[in-house]
Amino acid sequence: MRTKLLESPVATHITIILISFFLYISSISPTIYWRDSPEFVDVAYTLGISHPAGSPAYSIITRIFTFLPFFSIPFKINLTSLFFALLTIFFTCKVIQCLLSFYYTGIKKSEINLILILCSLLLTIMPSFWLKAIVAEVYTMNAFFLVLILYMLLKWSSGNDRRYVLLAAFLYGLSTGVHAGVIFFLPGLLIFFLLVHFNPQCRKYRTPKKNKEFIDRSLFKSFTLVFLFFLLGFSIYLYLPIRSITNPEFDWGNPETLNNFYSHISDKKDSASHFKNIFQINSLLKDGPIFVKMVVGEITLIGILLFVTGMINNFKENRKTFILLFLIAFINTMFYLTSTFGVYKNAILFIPSFIIFIIWIALGICFIRNGQIKKLPGINLKRLSVPLVLAFLSFSLITN
């Protein structure tokens, strides 16, 4: 039974989703929660406009769930967060599966599936993610778009099918309408696009003579197409002025005029706090340990050791994917770490970074499982890897 489960990807994914669903549905908030939850319930139900940057995609997508013929409005909107949490877990597994298949061509399906189960459980019980999976908030939908975009980019880089990168560009534009913080993913996404485009193995973008003029024209054409698909997704922000003209019940910032619209989507009211402490060494020395303690609380100390191992392995095996993941995690972390509203013991702001850490944890587990670390005398690291991971999963569940 156990062998059949680990040999079947479908059975593995179903098991992961069912476990996560059971944990979340048993703890879901039955009504509105505190902080931004009442606001998001209101804007989803009435198609209003939330605080900057407006979250138009979140309002429109969540509105669909309010048409369910059962449960109260707040509960149905809480279910939206649960739904996208499950999708996030699923596509995180797909990203991990892609990376493991790239790096370890001879790896067994059972080993991949075991790693998927362990890492999905870690993400499921991660305190910050669990909290936002059971209340009305944007964070699980934001995380879903991140891992879906990563999955599309990995599929594109492995098969050179342009449809994947165009879909990723559209999804990235659309995701800005969920949480504007995704704008800090842009450097990693853009550099990855350029690195894959100029990959010597990518026949689609090079001629046998490696004609520079052809490459330049090909890059311009590809970039233009990608940018147009991004704009198509980003056009979701037209919802704000159009809806504001009708004066909805919740109309934050009244973004009907061009000035109000720009101020709203750029979060002008809080712009002074963005990266405010980035050049203040004392502030970084003070907040850095707070962040490390926060990470330990989310993935445990053993998890940190595994993710560092996986990050190093990622760097050695594939620089392109390392740069993509590293820049997303690093810039997201530094933005909230150096903003005046960042480190106030609120781990939810770092959920995108934590998801990248979990992807690296998967690579770290596989690295150890494949015996690529010099073995210590009398210690079989391969046999110890699963018990160690189960131990830190249990510790995380019990302590949180």
Side-chain angles (χ1 to χ4, degrees):
M1 180 72 178
R2 185 184 67 178
T3 304
K4 290 183 178 180
L5 172 64
L6 293 178
E7 288 291 342
S8 171
V10 175
T12 299
H13 287 121
I14 291 175
T15 301
I16 289 168
I17 296 301
L18 287 178
I19 293 173
S20 302
F21 175 77
F22 174 77
L23 289 174
Y24 291 155
I25 200 66
S26 63
S27 57
I28 192 170
S29 174
T31 183
I32 59 174
Y33 194 62
W34 72 311
R35 299 195 64 161
D36 293 334
S37 175
E39 175 188 342
F40 285 123
V41 170
D42 193 315
V43 298
Y45 183 60
T46 65
L47 285 178
I49 296 171
S50 66
H51 64 271
S55 302
Y58 175 84
S59 300
I60 294 171
I61 294 171
T62 307
R63 172 64 173 165
I64 298 171
F65 284 79
T66 65
F67 291 107
L68 291 173
F70 37 77
F71 306 129
S72 66
I73 295 299
F75 188 80
K76 286 188 280 191
I77 295 174
N78 293 341
L79 281 176
T80 308
S81 295
L82 188 154
F83 175 76
F84 281 101
L86 297 180
L87 286 180
T88 300
I89 294 166
F90 174 79
F91 278 102
T92 300
C93 289
K94 298 298 288 184
V95 170
I96 292 171
Q97 192 172 13
C98 280
L99 291 173
L100 292 180
S101 299
F102 293 164
Y103 299 162
Y104 306 103
T105 54
I107 190 173
K108 297 178 181 178
K109 288 183 179 180
S110 58
E111 287 200 13
I112 292 179
N113 292 335
L114 179 60
I115 293 171
L116 294 182
I117 291 174
L118 294 173
C119 290
S120 65
L121 285 175
L122 177 59
L123 177 56
T124 298
I125 64 177
M126 195 171 68
S128 59
F129 191 75
W130 191 337
L131 173 62
K132 296 308 171 183
I134 58 177
V135 298
E137 262 290 5
V138 299
Y139 294 101
T140 59
M141 191 183 295
N142 182 53
F144 159 71
F145 275 105
L146 169 61
V147 293
L148 182 58
I149 291 167
L150 290 177
Y151 178 65
M152 293 299 165
L153 290 176
L154 290 175
K155 295 289 286 185
W156 169 61
S157 67
S158 63
N160 301 323
D161 189 337
R162 186 173 292 175
R163 291 174 298 179
Y164 285 114
V165 72
L166 296 180
L167 182 56
F170 170 76
L171 291 171
Y172 181 57
L174 187 63
S175 69
T176 62
V178 177
H179 192 284
V182 301
I183 193 66
F184 299 110
F185 303 162
L186 182 59
L189 298 175
L190 184 58
I191 292 175
F192 183 78
F193 170 78
L194 294 173
L195 289 174
V196 174
H197 185 91
F198 290 111
N199 184 355
Q201 297 178 352
C202 187
R203 296 180 182 178
K204 187 174 292 187
Y205 302 128
R206 288 182 181 262
T207 61
K209 296 181 180 180
K210 299 182 180 180
N211 186 282
K212 186 177 184 299
E213 182 181 351
F214 172 82
I215 295 174
D216 291 341
R217 284 190 286 108
S218 175
L219 176 60
F220 177 77
K221 180 180 178 181
S222 298
F223 185 80
T224 302
L225 276 173
V226 167
F227 183 66
L228 289 175
F229 272 80
F230 166 79
L231 287 181
L232 182 62
F234 190 75
S235 65
I236 191 71
Y237 271 100
L238 294 176
Y239 162 89
L240 297 182
I242 294 172
R243 182 58 178 155
S244 182
I245 290 173
T246 67
N247 295 317
E249 180 180 307
F250 206 104
D251 190 12
W252 191 309
N254 195 32
E256 298 174 20
T257 67
L258 184 61
N259 183 58
N260 287 355
F261 176 71
Y262 174 75
S263 296
H264 200 71
I265 67 172
S266 62
D267 194 14
K268 193 173 182 179
K269 68 180 182 65
D270 292 326
S271 59
S273 64
H274 299 164
F275 290 111
K276 185 175 182 179
N277 298 328
I278 192 166
F279 296 114
Q280 298 182 16
I281 303 299
N282 291 336
S283 178
L284 289 174
L285 292 175
K286 176 185 174 182
D287 293 338
I290 296 176
F291 176 71
V292 173
K293 184 178 180 181
M294 188 186 300
V295 176
V296 173
E298 294 291 320
I299 63 174
T300 77
L301 184 58
I302 299 176
I304 291 179
L305 297 176
L306 287 170
F307 109 67
V308 170
T309 301
M311 181 175 66
I312 295 172
N313 184 38
N314 189 191
F315 177 79
K316 290 181 177 179
E317 295 289 343
N318 191 306
R319 301 289 172 84
K320 295 191 295 292
T321 58
F322 170 79
I323 290 172
L324 172 65
L325 297 176
F326 176 79
L327 287 179
I328 289 175
F330 178 75
I331 298 176
N332 178 80
T333 300
M334 290 303 297
F335 173 70
Y336 292 112
L337 198 63
T338 59
S339 300
T340 55
F341 57 85
V343 180
Y344 52 91
K345 301 178 180 63
N346 195 343
I348 60 174
L349 300 171
F350 301 94
I351 286 176
S353 301
F354 296 153
I355 290 176
I356 302 298
F357 294 168
I358 288 175
I359 293 172
W360 278 331
I361 284 173
L363 298 181
I365 295 172
C366 192
F367 187 70
I368 295 173
R369 287 280 295 170
N370 281 267
Q372 296 188 30
I373 293 180
K374 187 177 180 180
K375 293 184 179 181
L376 299 176
I379 299 179
N380 190 323
L381 291 175
K382 185 173 181 178
R383 291 184 179 179
L384 280 178
S385 59
V386 174
L388 284 173
V389 173
L390 289 174
F392 88 80
L393 282 173
S394 302
F395 178 79
S396 180
L397 182 60
I398 293 170
T399 55
N400 295 298

